[in-house]
Amino acid sequence: MEMDQLVALCKRRGFLFQSSEIYGGLNGFWDYGPLGVLLKRNVKDAWWNDMVQAHNETIVPPGAPARYEMTGLDCTVIMHPQVWKCSGHYDLFHDFMVDCRESKRRYRYDHILGRYVAGLKHGEGGTAASRVRIFATTMETENTQDALEQAALKFFGLRKKDADSLEWDGEIRALSSLPGSGSTGGGAIGDILGNVLGPDAKHPGTLTPPREFNLMFKTVIGALGDDDDASFLRPETAQGIFVNFKNVCDSTRVRVPFGIAQIGKSFRNEITPRNFTFRSREFEQMEIEFFCRPDQSSEWYRYWRDRRFRWYIDMGLAGDRLRLREHDADELSHYSCGTADIEYRFPFLPPGEYGELEGIAHRGDFDLRSHMEGKLVRKGNELVLERDGAGQPKHRGSGKDLSYYDDLARERFVPHVIEPSAGADRATLAFLCEAYNIDTAPDEKGQPTERLFLKFHPRLAPIKAAVFPLVKKDGMPEIATEIYGELKKTFSCFYDDKGAVGRRYRRQDEIGTPYCITVDGQTLADETVTVRDRDTLQQWRVPKADLAAELRERLNGC
Ligand code: ATP
């Protein structure tokens, strides 16, 4: 499937629209349309149901080290500015950006891809040609080598048929990973940049050295607020959970181990939002902070990692497009003893590349301690308070005691945290990509034609059943509207009486409706209706009175 086809379908059928489209759109912001809102809500509901609502705390779930409880929160988007200072986001949540002096474009440093290439370059005014070696770059992740070749041909003034005269050297790699470039923007980057042909530039040497850029959206609280009143839109929902840890312990009877779940909007001022909703500036997260005894945290980490991976498989992401990737030791955050990403091979990524759907991180006691003591940094194997030049804490914590007293073990400790952090928009996009299917099926004249259908898991399908009267006469519409009204009490349904029934089926296939119900001539005689299955195209008759129960069973309680 080409990504363009899915994007077109999403717009045509009302899954996703660009935000503020009539004003030209706003980069990195997306609106969910009438079907998109249903699909995304189903994703969030399935997550909440499976992680929180249906969790049975009286038994040990398969693979879990012990029984545990689950509860929820819904915290504000804007929080006390000190939250972000102690969490580390104020000082550390940044990316590096690079500007091009020629094209006036801005790029995320680690997203610029390139490869060394040499060729003969003619000098100005017909002076002798000399051999020039540059690092050609692009932002294309699809057909990267083709894009690099085009840039190089243009630079050396060559035609496509002369492409063989280019001498490519080394692998395609991120500009930020070149030796000497410094992966975070440091190093002797100035020496390298003179040689770099920017992604949209005609001449080498037009990129500025990378600059740091904090990803948090800043806002000011109060009518007369100045910079001292600056706060931030949350870049993750997790911190609302940490700062409420004590409130939850004090107001409920939860005991460690337990988890707090939250679904909510997060905001990141991404430098280069792209790939449809994959990298947006406003998005929704589904996060769990799971609090446990430090000596059991490794077992709980493995439990959540495997549990969350299984959830995506159960929801229909299967095969080699989904993978679980354990981070190497050098990728781990300074406080983590383990992190894994659940990744999906999105169609817009280059062959063999995967995009993150969810991260499962062992966070130790870093977050609770930071909100007690102040911003922490690693010194050797220890986490210590970060201090300024005068030896004072750089960012003070709340000073509140966020430790936990286990009255059975008679022990006080700061719980360790396992954090499964998922993106609702990325999951929704993955389910859309996975559902996109094309096969051949007979049209209304019995001719085999191409059929586009979205093969959603029934729990995720925006519409569960569509009801059609075969024709708009002989009492069929009356029976169909009665069935529609009944089913609607339980399922999201759609009523359609326009056009040939074959076309109506195709319209429902395109939005992933698992079942279509048709009221036809036989219904008038024996009170049965035709039910049609989206995936198998099989049709069978069901007595009208048994329809709701039959659908409920087939839709497996959703
Ligand atoms: P990436 O490396 O892709 O930017 P991340 O590692 O920064 O992601 P986390 O901070 O771990 O992401 O956030 C948890 C989840 O939130 C991600 O797995 C993803 O599903 C979602 N997410 C993060 N940033 C974005 C974004 N800009 N747009 C949409 N979803 C996002």
Side-chain angles (χ1 to χ4, degrees):
M1 185 245 311
E2 295 294 327
M3 201 56 203
D4 296 355
Q5 296 171 305
L6 181 70
V7 174
L9 174 77
C10 284
K11 167 143 188 175
R12 183 158 48 84
R13 297 307 311 265
F15 282 97
L16 277 154
F17 307 127
Q18 211 186 356
S19 164
S20 323
E21 195 186 85
I22 60 168
Y23 288 102
L26 192 59
N27 203 5
F29 295 89
W30 295 92
D31 293 334
Y32 285 80
L35 287 175
V37 66
L38 296 175
L39 174 63
K40 187 171 161 191
R41 182 171 302 161
N42 290 344
V43 172
K44 292 186 287 181
D45 284 352
W47 182 88
W48 186 271
N49 183 72
D50 296 352
M51 297 303 116
V52 185
Q53 171 70 26
H55 170 67
N56 182 350
E57 72 281 3
T58 63
I59 56 166
V60 180
R67 287 188 287 196
Y68 64 92
E69 294 178 67
M70 288 298 294
T71 184
L73 273 179
D74 184 11
C75 307
T76 58
V77 164
I78 296 177
M79 300 170 71
H80 195 292
Q82 200 63 16
V83 168
W84 308 112
K85 292 187 175 158
C86 291
S87 70
H89 287 84
Y90 186 81
D91 294 328
L92 297 172
F93 194 54
H94 48 226
D95 276 333
F96 284 84
M97 62 184 177
V98 173
D99 288 309
C100 177
R101 283 183 285 258
E102 187 188 303
S103 70
K104 307 287 177 230
R105 298 226 171 126
R106 174 165 291 170
Y107 313 99
R108 205 171 117 176
Y109 187 38
D110 59 335
H111 284 173
I112 303 177
L113 295 170
R115 194 175 174 198
Y116 279 109
V117 60
L120 278 184
K121 176 91 177 151
H122 287 273
E124 299 289 317
T127 47
S130 55
R131 194 169 174 278
V132 175
R133 182 172 183 261
I134 55 160
F135 187 75
T137 68
T138 178
M139 297 297 289
E140 292 273 324
T141 49
E142 263 177 284
N143 305 325
T144 311
Q145 182 56 34
D146 290 353
L148 292 176
E149 191 171 287
Q150 256 179 27
L153 288 172
K154 215 162 166 192
F155 175 75
F156 288 108
L158 297 173
R159 300 215 189 119
K160 180 105 182 97
K161 64 181 173 61
D162 302 319
D164 285 350
S165 70
L166 294 173
E167 291 161 43
W168 294 96
D169 181 8
E171 307 266 289
I172 296 177
R173 59 197 305 175
L175 173 59
S176 58
S177 73
L178 281 185
S181 67
S183 59
T184 53
I189 185 65
D191 302 344
I192 296 170
L193 283 180
N195 217 7
V196 172
L197 180 68
D200 302 289
K202 290 199 187 98
H203 309 284
T206 61
L207 295 184
T208 60
R211 282 183 294 148
E212 249 178 274
F213 172 80
N214 194 299
L215 296 181
M216 284 197 292
F217 278 98
K218 210 170 179 181
T219 188
V220 170
I221 299 173
L224 301 174
D226 57 20
D227 238 25
D228 287 345
D229 301 306
S231 193
F232 303 93
L233 307 193
R234 66 179 176 200
E236 61 174 35
T237 60
Q239 298 304 322
I241 300 181
F242 294 126
V243 301
N244 275 298
F245 171 72
K246 197 167 154 42
N247 280 337
V248 173
C249 288
D250 292 349
S251 62
T252 64
R253 291 167 55 204
V254 286
R255 303 177 52 82
V256 166
F258 72 93
I260 306 180
Q262 174 166 222
I263 298 178
K265 291 260 179 164
S266 291
F267 300 81
R268 295 184 188 179
N269 203 355
E270 298 278 359
I271 296 167
T272 46
R274 59 188 174 146
N275 290 336
F276 209 16
T277 56
F278 180 83
R279 190 169 299 288
S280 309
R281 288 179 164 141
E282 175 175 342
F283 54 95
E284 245 173 312
Q285 290 185 309
M286 310 185 288
E287 295 196 294
I288 296 170
E289 304 306 325
F290 188 81
F291 301 93
C292 58
R293 289 178 61 90
D295 56 2
Q296 288 182 344
S297 59
S298 297
E299 283 173 83
W300 282 113
Y301 164 68
R302 286 192 292 276
Y303 167 72
W304 279 107
R305 181 196 62 190
D306 299 345
R307 169 109 205 264
R308 291 300 307 142
F309 185 58
R310 244 185 4 257
W311 186 80
Y312 290 96
I313 296 173
D314 292 346
M315 287 289 112
L317 297 189
D320 62 359
R321 283 192 288 273
L322 185 75
R323 75 173 185 192
L324 181 69
R325 186 178 69 85
E326 195 83 45
H327 283 207
D328 296 334
D330 59 349
E331 272 185 278
L332 295 181
S333 316
H334 52 288
Y335 45 75
S336 183
C337 335
T339 295
D341 286 344
I342 298 171
E343 300 180 327
Y344 184 72
R345 213 175 60 212
F346 285 97
F348 47 75
L349 297 171
E353 266 195 36
Y354 289 73
E356 177 183 326
L357 290 179
E358 171 162 352
I360 298 100
H362 178 298
R363 298 180 63 91
D365 59 6
F366 174 79
D367 304 275
L368 289 177
R369 272 188 59 200
S370 302
H371 287 303
M372 282 198 280
E373 300 167 23
K375 188 176 166 236
L376 300 170
V377 283
R378 181 173 282 291
K379 231 186 199 153
N381 279 336
E382 292 282 292
L383 282 173
V384 296
L385 205 54
E386 187 175 10
R387 297 189 183 272
D388 61 17
Q392 293 301 313
K394 186 162 181 212
H395 298 302
R396 281 179 197 283
S398 66
K400 300 280 185 300
D401 181 6
L402 302 182
S403 65
Y404 172 83
Y405 183 68
D406 186 334
D407 52 1
L408 296 180
R410 301 198 178 179
E411 248 181 285
R412 183 168 284 285
F413 55 88
V414 179
H416 275 200
V417 169
I418 312 301
E419 178 188 77
S421 170
D425 307 85
R426 284 194 189 170
T428 303
L429 185 58
F431 291 128
L432 270 165
C433 293
E434 185 79 14
Y436 194 99
N437 268 283
I438 291 181
D439 68 359
T440 306
D443 64 10
E444 58 262 39
K445 292 186 197 114
Q447 295 301 314
T449 51
E450 200 173 79
R451 179 178 77 117
L452 165 60
F453 67 114
L454 294 186
K455 199 172 173 182
F456 287 127
H457 188 291
R459 288 179 75 186
L460 301 182
I463 308 283
K464 311 294 184 210
V467 184
F468 313 146
L470 184 64
V471 289
K472 281 199 249 181
K473 56 181 186 183
D474 300 335
M476 290 185 207
E478 287 75 7
I479 300 173
T481 50
E482 186 201 328
I483 292 174
Y484 173 67
E486 263 318 297
L487 292 182
K488 218 171 184 296
K489 290 181 192 160
T490 323
F491 311 110
S492 58
C493 290
F494 191 82
Y495 183 82
D496 190 4
D497 60 5
K498 291 177 199 70
V501 76
R503 275 220 214 106
R504 283 182 255 167
Y505 282 144
R506 293 290 172 104
R507 281 204 291 266
Q508 292 306 314
D509 290 343
E510 247 191 18
I511 61 169
T513 306
Y515 297 105
C516 290
I517 292 122
T518 306
V519 172
D520 47 28
Q522 203 176 320
T523 312
L524 308 175
D526 65 5
E527 300 226 318
T528 62
V529 291
T530 304
V531 180
R532 170 195 181 261
D533 181 291
R534 173 197 68 197
D535 303 337
T536 63
L537 299 177
Q538 271 178 354
Q539 301 193 8
W540 64 97
R541 298 203 72 84
V542 176
K544 211 176 74 180
D546 300 343
L547 187 61
E550 160 125 10
L551 287 182
R552 210 173 303 120
E553 195 183 317
R554 286 181 179 271
L555 290 165
N556 206 2
C558 47

